[in-house]
């Protein structure tokens, strides 16, 4: 009799131990497979908040690979302060300030046809009629309008679980955890002051495709030939300008005509063609033709104006091919192409012509021209 009682006593103990073991193992996670290659990217939201901004309204992009081969009807994203899950994740504490109740499904791929349910803060889920997901399928879902945790530099975790059911009830198919963090925003501050860059010289070059006043050469320029009643003498110079002035800039030319002692060459008071054998000193800012001289003199403004960030143009009296004028104080260029405004750096080429009559007194004729660029802010 003692042996029989001992046997039944041992059997009862063994049964109790087995019962305890079965209770420790969560019945809906025992067969769940591990989600792999998983990540959470915090993406700037429609309002411009940075992805990891504490308290920012942003988008959360989940990418992960499921072992697959099973039907999936819902996917839960549970936000927690800890990564590990026991007792089906019921130990989860929602990060401070997190709000998912306005979340929207912005994009989906890999397995589609989902709608979002976000009634419970910190635990939105996607739902659809259950359908098969192929083995090792890469899934991606963007949840928009999520308010990040408000604590700066806080690490938080999202437990991803997939279910056969459409409401995240019952057995888990696959599971895995992703981690992200809010971050202190780096705020950089700088000031762009009122700006004008202007220079003149015989030539101005480019640095990395941008007109560079550091490359300006000497402004001492000689005409290409001796003055003659049978041919037109030419010369050129360049100037570059840029400004952020709201009303742009105006460039004027200032100085006397060519003079040798008491002898002068007549400045062209009105825009006109050059005429050989007539006393003329004039200029324009255009690419001229052999109608004026051989070789042709001049160039169009460079870089070409587009009416947005490049606005340089010759003024009307100095902007016609093969027509020239010179009156000291005249406006020869401005930044009004497409409407007055600021402009990135461009180069003007000023072309000068001299025609003389046969009676022009001999001598060395010179002038000093000063270009003035005036921005209006």
């Amino acid at each position: 009799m003692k042996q029989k009682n001992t046997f039944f006593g041992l059997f009862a103990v063994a049964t109790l131990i087995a019962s305890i073991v079965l209770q420790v193992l969560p019945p809906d996670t025992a067969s769940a497979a591990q989600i792999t290659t998983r990540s959470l990217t915090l993406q700037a939201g429609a309002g411009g908040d940075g992805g990891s901004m504490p308290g920012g309204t942003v988008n959360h992009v989940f990418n992960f690979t499921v072992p697959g081969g099973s039907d999936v009807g819902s996917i839960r994203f549970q936000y927690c302060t800890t990564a590990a899950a026991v007792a089906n994740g019921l130990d989860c504490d929602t990060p401070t300030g997190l709000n998912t109740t306005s979340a929207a499904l912005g994009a989906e791929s890999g397995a589609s046809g989902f709608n979002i349910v976000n009634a419970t803060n910190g635990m939105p889920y996607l739902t659809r009629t259950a359908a098969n997901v192929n083995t090792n399928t890469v899934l991606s879902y963007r949840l928009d309008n999520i308010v990040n945790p408000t604590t700066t530099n806080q690490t938080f975790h999202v437990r991803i679980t997939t279910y056969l059911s459409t409401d995240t009830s019952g057995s888990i198919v696959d599971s895995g955890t992703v981690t992200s963090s809010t971050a202190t925003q780096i705020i950089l501050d700088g000031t762009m002051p009122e700006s004008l860059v202007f220079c003149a010289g015989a030539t101005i070059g480019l640095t990395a495709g941008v007109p560079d006043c550091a490359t300006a050469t000497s402004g001492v320029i000689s005409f290409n030939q001796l003055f003659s009643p049978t041919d037109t003498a030419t010369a050129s110079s360049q100037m570059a300008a840029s400004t952020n002035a709201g009303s742009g800039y105006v460039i004027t030319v200032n100085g006397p005509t060519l003079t040798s002692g008491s002898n002068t060459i007549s400045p062209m008071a009105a825009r006109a063609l050059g005429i050989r054998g007539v006393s003329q000193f004039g200029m324009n800012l255009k690419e001229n033709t052999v109608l004026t001289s051989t070789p042709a003199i001049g160039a169009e403004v460079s870089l070409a104006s587009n009416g947005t960030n490049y606005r340089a143009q010759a003024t009307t009296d100095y902007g016609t091919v093969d027509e020239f004028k010179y009156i000291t104080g005249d406006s020869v260029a401005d930044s009004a192409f497409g409407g007055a405004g600021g402009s990135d750096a461009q180069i003007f080429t000023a072309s000068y012509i001299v025609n003389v009559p046969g009676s022009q007194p001999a001598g060395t004729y010179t002038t000093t021209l000063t270009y003035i660029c005036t921005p209006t802010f």
Side-chain angles (χ1 to χ4, degrees), residues 224-225 231-235 276 288-298:
N224 69 325
Q225 62 183 37
D231 204 356
T232 299
T234 62
R276 294 173 179 84
N288 301 291
T289 72
V290 293
L291 179 63
T292 292
S293 64
T294 303
I297 186 73

Side-chain angles (χ1 to χ4, degrees), residues 6 8 21 30 37 71 75 90 123 169 181 201 207 255 257 338 355:
T6 301
F8 280 110
V21 170
T37 319
D71 287 353
I75 304 174
L90 299 180
M123 202 183 299
S169 63
S181 178
T207 299
T257 187
N355 286 305

Side-chain angles (χ1 to χ4, degrees), residues 273-342:
L273 296 172
I275 303 174
R276 294 173 179 84
V278 175
S279 181
Q280 292 179 320
F281 169 62
M283 63 171 288
N284 71 13
L285 277 67
K286 299 296 287 182
E287 181 179 7
N288 301 291
T289 72
V290 293
L291 179 63
T292 292
S293 64
T294 303
I297 186 73
E300 298 297 324
V301 63
S302 180
L303 306 161
S305 295
N306 57 18
T308 53
N309 61 314
Y310 295 114
R311 295 181 179 273
Q313 65 175 7
T315 57
T316 301
D317 278 354
Y318 295 86
T320 302
V321 173
D322 292 320
E323 293 188 2
F324 301 85
K325 180 185 178 184
Y326 185 79
I327 295 180
T328 184
D330 266 2
S331 298
V332 296
D334 57 35
S335 62
F337 184 86

Side-chain angles (χ1 to χ4, degrees), residues 26-50:
D28 59 353
T29 61
S31 60
Q34 180 73 12
I35 291 171
T36 62
T37 319
R38 55 195 184 272
S39 66
L40 166 57
T41 301
L42 307 185
Q43 186 183 82
D49 290 348

